[in-house]
Amino acid sequence: MNNPLLSLFPVTAEVKDDRLFVAGQDMAELVRRFGTPLYLFDEATLRSQCSAFRDEFTSRYPRCRVLYAAKAFTGHGLARLVAGEQLGMDVVSGGELALAKDAGFPMERVYFHGNNKGREELELALTLGVGRVVVDNFHELSQLEEIASRRIALQDILLRISPGVDPHTHSHTTTGVTDSKFGFLMDRAAEAVGLAMDSPHLRLVGLHFHLGSPIYDVEPYQEAIVRVLAFAAEMERRFNFVLREFSPGGGFAVSYTMDRPAPPPSYYAEGIVSALRRGMGEGRAEEPWLIVEPGRAIVARAGVALYRVGARKEIPGIRTYVSVDGGMGDNIRPALYGSAYQALVANKASQEPRETVTISGKFCESGDVLIRDIPIPPLIPGDIIAIPVSGAYSIPMSSNYNANPRPAVVLLTEQGPKLWRRRERYQDIAALEEE
């Protein structure tokens, strides 16, 4: 019988002969080939999540665009995969924008977010022909107006509104409350609408909000939708503003551990679409486009992190630490957010837990702990720890702390493994140093 933890792994995961396989690939063999730490992405899981969000939303609301939120993880390979699935992309920096462009991603499907876009980033966005700029504040609105004035075509924009709704998630990932660095406060947003509507160089096509992540309940979205649609109706009366696009953001939850399952895409689609239709009421000549931005919910389950076991420290009556060859340098989420994970021993995947250990990293911080007090089969040096649901935010937030190279990233396909990003070398870290 397969281990129940497989429900957290990619959809192609299975256990055979006491070993963990994903997309038909033996994890132990991949470690021998690519080394550790190693991040794997399962193509089948990525594509199924793209199609699930696309189909669940568009079946209920045909005028819907699904954008992949690139901050969860991006690179040339993923950008091309997402483009092939007919999704757009939400980027938050010039770097993410440049990666999308280099990958050949259609610029008209890109929405450029961010609370402090630099002038050079805005210049780049307009030069590349980005589809929408999501304006976050008055400073940006003024800069964008000046930059757009030197161009012929109007630049389409959305305004980001802070609706003052608490999604009851971690304080570091809550973005839609009043006390947040993001977006126009409701009592100043009307002024921003007026300025945008008066601009001869910008075209205000819609409103956006984002509440935070991960959000397990649909009610915060529904509350914010009511508030922002009421605001849009007021702007229509005051400025003849027409809401052509409406974005409630993303932040949809994923299941990191067995004890907290996340809702399926259909739950969010039904809740958001029903609230949008109720809020718009009857008599609209044309429904606005609905823009949703799942990132974590597309890539998280598709990703698996692999580590090799090294040192062991037993403190009688207190705790046993087992160290691995990665940690907060490639996944800072446990140290930063207190994020919880579960794990399998990839080369002992059928064995029963017989000890409880804390899996710690190799970095020079006491807080470098990946999983605390996990029941697991007995571990010895060289065993392979597989941590599921590692596809979101781990690699984008990775660092060279302690001058450690960042890990390789591999896509697992039906045809075999494909290297998406090679492992960094010591020379890469030193390359930017000036004598």
Side-chain angles (χ1 to χ4, degrees), residues 409-422:
V409 180
V410 172
L411 178 70
L412 301 182
T413 75
E414 290 182 349
Q415 291 74 40
K418 177 181 180 181
L419 186 63
W420 257 359
R421 185 178 299 174
R422 68 164 173 83

Side-chain angles (χ1 to χ4, degrees), residues 3 21 46 50 53 69 78 97 101 128 158 165 173 194 222 228 232 238 267 299 324 326 328 350-351 355 376 416:
N3 193 309
F21 287 73
L46 290 170
C50 287
F53 276 100
L78 186 63
L97 181 59
K101 178 64 176 178
L128 295 181
L158 285 77
V165 173
T173 57
Q222 294 175 325
V228 176
R238 290 177 58 179
Y267 170 77
V299 295
V324 295
M328 66 186 295
S350 300
Q351 297 183 25
E355 65 176 2
I376 207 159

Side-chain angles (χ1 to χ4, degrees), residues 1 3 15-19 344-345 348-352 377:
M1 180 180 295
N3 193 309
V15 172
K16 296 187 295 186
D17 300 325
D18 206 24
R19 300 196 307 278
L344 271 177
V345 186
K348 300 175 179 177
S350 300
Q351 297 183 25
E352 294 294 324

Side-chain angles (χ1 to χ4, degrees), residues 52-359:
F53 276 100
R54 186 186 63 233
D55 296 347
E56 292 293 350
F57 273 93
T58 57
S59 65
R60 292 168 171 83
Y61 196 94
R63 291 172 66 84
C64 179
R65 297 188 186 113
V66 178
L67 312 180
Y68 170 66
K71 64 179 180 175
F73 169 72
T74 195
H76 290 168
L78 186 63
R80 293 182 183 118
L81 185 150
V82 167
E85 292 295 322
Q86 302 305 306
L87 271 59
M89 186 176 288
D90 149 6
V91 302
V92 297
S93 72
E96 289 181 354
L97 181 59
L99 278 171
K101 178 64 176 178
D102 290 346
F105 198 92
M107 286 293 104
E108 68 274 10
R109 285 196 247 157
V110 174
Y111 285 57
F112 190 17
H113 291 253
N115 71 296
N116 192 30
K117 306 177 191 70
R119 175 177 288 273
E120 290 183 358
E121 291 178 308
L122 291 171
E123 292 271 12
L124 177 64
L126 270 62
T127 298
L128 295 181
V130 72
R132 306 284 188 271
V133 177
V134 183
V135 177
D136 199 273
N137 52 66
F138 288 104
H139 173 65
E140 181 185 337
L141 187 60
S142 174
Q143 279 202 111
L144 189 61
E145 164 69 21
E146 190 272 323
I147 294 168
S149 69
R150 304 195 299 271
R151 302 176 184 275
I152 297 173
L154 291 174
Q155 175 60 50
D156 288 342
I157 67 170
L158 285 77
L159 297 181
R160 178 167 182 166
I161 308 298
S162 182
V165 173
D166 188 350
H168 305 295
T169 186
H170 195 287
S171 60
H172 290 184
T173 57
T174 296
T175 59
V177 295
T178 299
D179 185 7
S180 168
K181 71 177 184 178
F182 295 104
F184 293 94
L185 295 176
M186 294 291 282
D187 60 359
R188 296 290 309 279
E191 180 183 350
V193 171
L195 290 171
M197 292 292 291
D198 285 342
S199 170
H201 312 292
L202 307 175
R203 179 167 56 191
L204 179 61
V205 299
L207 301 174
H208 163 82
F209 68 81
H210 192 282
L211 300 179
S213 66
I215 301 174
Y216 286 81
D217 300 315
V218 78
E219 287 79 9
Y221 295 103
Q222 294 175 325
E223 181 182 351
I225 286 169
V226 169
R227 294 188 186 187
V228 176
L229 287 179
F231 172 78
E234 180 187 349
M235 295 304 96
E236 184 176 6
R237 292 189 294 270
R238 290 177 58 179
F239 301 109
N240 292 321
F241 166 62
V242 177
L243 184 67
R244 297 182 179 89
E245 296 189 11
F246 179 78
S247 172
F252 310 128
V254 300
S255 301
Y256 283 101
T257 57
M258 297 286 289
D259 60 350
R260 195 171 189 193
S266 58
Y267 170 77
Y268 296 104
E270 183 62 33
I272 287 171
V273 169
S274 62
L276 177 58
R277 288 222 160 98
R278 286 196 305 270
M280 289 187 302
E282 302 293 333
R284 280 191 70 96
E286 188 174 64
E287 292 181 329
W289 280 90
L290 171 63
I291 313 298
V292 294
E293 303 165 352
R296 178 197 312 264
I298 287 176
V299 295
R301 185 183 176 188
V304 179
L306 298 178
Y307 305 93
R308 277 197 187 96
V309 170
R312 180 185 183 98
K313 178 180 180 179
E314 298 183 11
I315 309 173
I318 298 178
R319 181 169 286 111
T320 296
Y321 289 93
V322 172
S323 295
V324 295
D325 55 358
M328 66 186 295
D330 63 85
N331 185 358
I332 200 172
R333 294 185 68 253
L336 186 62
Y337 302 133
S339 301
Y341 287 92
Q342 294 189 250
L344 271 177
V345 186
N347 56 305
K348 300 175 179 177
S350 300
Q351 297 183 25
E352 294 294 324
R354 301 212 311 270
E355 65 176 2
T356 296
V357 305
T358 287
I359 299 175

Side-chain angles (χ1 to χ4, degrees), residues 331-397:
N331 185 358
I332 200 172
R333 294 185 68 253
L336 186 62
Y337 302 133
S339 301
Y341 287 92
Q342 294 189 250
L344 271 177
V345 186
N347 56 305
K348 300 175 179 177
S350 300
Q351 297 183 25
E352 294 294 324
R354 301 212 311 270
E355 65 176 2
T356 296
V357 305
T358 287
I359 299 175
S360 55
K362 65 172 292 181
F363 294 84
C364 195
E365 297 285 341
S366 295
D368 180 23
V369 171
L370 290 171
I371 308 176
R372 293 188 182 276
D373 301 327
I374 179 175
I376 207 159
L379 295 172
I380 61 173
D383 281 340
I384 302 164
I385 300 293
I387 298 183
V389 207
S390 294
Y393 295 102
S394 299
I395 293 297
M397 298 175 77

